[in-house]
Amino acid sequence: MARITKDPEVRRNELLDAAVQLFGDKGVERTSVSDIVKQVGVAQGTFYYYFKTKDDVIFALVERSLAEHMDYVNSVAGRSGEAADRKLVAALLERPALLPNYRDFLQVLHHESNAMIHQRFVSRKITAMVPPIAHILEQGVKEGVFQVEHPAETAEFMLTAVLFMFDPGFFDRTEEEIRAKAGAIVGIMGKLLGTELPAPDPARSLFEL
């Protein structure tokens, strides 16, 4: 049988997809490199061409998730003809359609053994999201919708509040508690900005996973 050669990025993503699914099903500790390559149907050497260890896979999953989410946030910030208040809610409180294996990725990220990776991920996500969120706030000021003197600092404040407050890796909340806090956070942010913000789309809300 002829050997199938794939684009390196395609093969790398296949390994990541297999790993995150196995990590979610079996746990990181119980998943071996052999399990991952068997799932993809490649030789073990292929894995080591892309990654040195399983930890490298977790870091790569974090990077991929962050890049995918930032593509979404930047696309929202760059939309033409859309009001700033709707953009802000979409970028800050909504997400794109669930990506493949997203739930499994969250399970991996929130596992206690990955606490340092989790903290680094949240910190990097806040830093990466500040510029596009600040850009939206600046648009809102120009439109006369937002009353904001320090867009970058306000963006960082809101991001820190949302990403930590609703992160199950930091707080163990019931669904009822999450819904109650989610209902309050939109009003709180609206008062911070001097306006009334629209509610998040229930189908895309960060609070409905």
Side-chain angles (χ1 to χ4, degrees):
M1 178 180 287
R3 182 179 179 184
I4 299 175
T5 302
K6 291 192 177 182
D7 179 273
E9 191 63 22
V10 172
R11 181 66 80 194
R12 184 174 185 272
N13 278 316
E14 286 181 344
L15 290 165
L16 290 175
D17 290 341
V20 74
Q21 182 180 345
L22 289 165
F23 290 164
D25 291 342
K26 302 175 61 175
V28 176
E29 295 84 358
R30 293 190 297 276
T31 299
S32 66
V33 171
S34 297
D35 293 330
I36 297 171
V37 297
K38 183 178 180 181
Q39 178 112 337
V40 179
V42 296
Q44 193 145 327
T46 302
F47 175 92
Y48 292 110
Y49 176 80
Y50 296 99
F51 310 105
K52 292 181 180 179
T53 65
K54 283 196 299 182
D55 284 345
D56 286 346
V57 173
I58 296 173
F59 283 119
L61 288 169
V62 166
E63 293 297 324
R64 187 174 70 167
S65 178
L66 180 60
E68 288 171 339
H69 190 77
M70 287 311 303
D71 284 345
Y72 166 72
V73 172
N74 286 322
S75 71
V76 170
R79 290 174 186 167
S80 60
E82 185 168 319
D85 56 353
R86 175 88 277 278
K87 280 187 180 182
L88 182 66
V89 170
L92 194 61
L93 302 178
E94 296 175 3
R95 48 165 170 69
L98 279 179
L99 300 164
N101 300 318
Y102 184 70
R103 295 176 192 273
D104 290 335
F105 167 72
L106 289 181
Q107 282 187 307
V108 173
L109 189 65
H110 295 153
H111 193 279
E112 60 183 13
S113 65
N114 296 324
M116 292 301 295
I117 296 173
H118 183 192
Q119 291 174 20
R120 187 183 306 178
F121 172 75
V122 174
S123 175
R124 290 195 56 205
K125 192 170 185 177
I126 291 171
T127 301
M129 287 183 67
V130 164
I133 297 298
H135 177 74
I136 294 172
L137 294 178
E138 289 167 356
Q139 176 189 333
V141 171
K142 291 178 182 177
E143 293 174 351
V145 178
F146 299 153
Q147 299 176 29
V148 179
E149 293 184 5
H150 307 287
E153 288 76 14
T154 302
E156 185 173 358
F157 179 83
M158 291 192 297
L159 283 161
T160 301
V162 171
L163 292 180
F164 276 94
M165 187 174 179
F166 294 96
D167 191 318
F170 295 108
F171 300 101
D172 183 17
R173 306 191 194 279
T174 65
E175 290 185 11
E176 184 178 354
E177 288 172 332
I178 291 173
R179 290 195 185 96
K181 292 181 185 300
I185 197 69
V186 177
I188 292 170
M189 290 197 304
K191 289 181 179 179
L192 176 66
L193 302 174
T195 190
E196 184 175 342
L197 293 175
D201 179 350
R204 293 180 176 270
S205 174
L206 286 176
F207 316 119
E208 299 291 338
L209 286 177

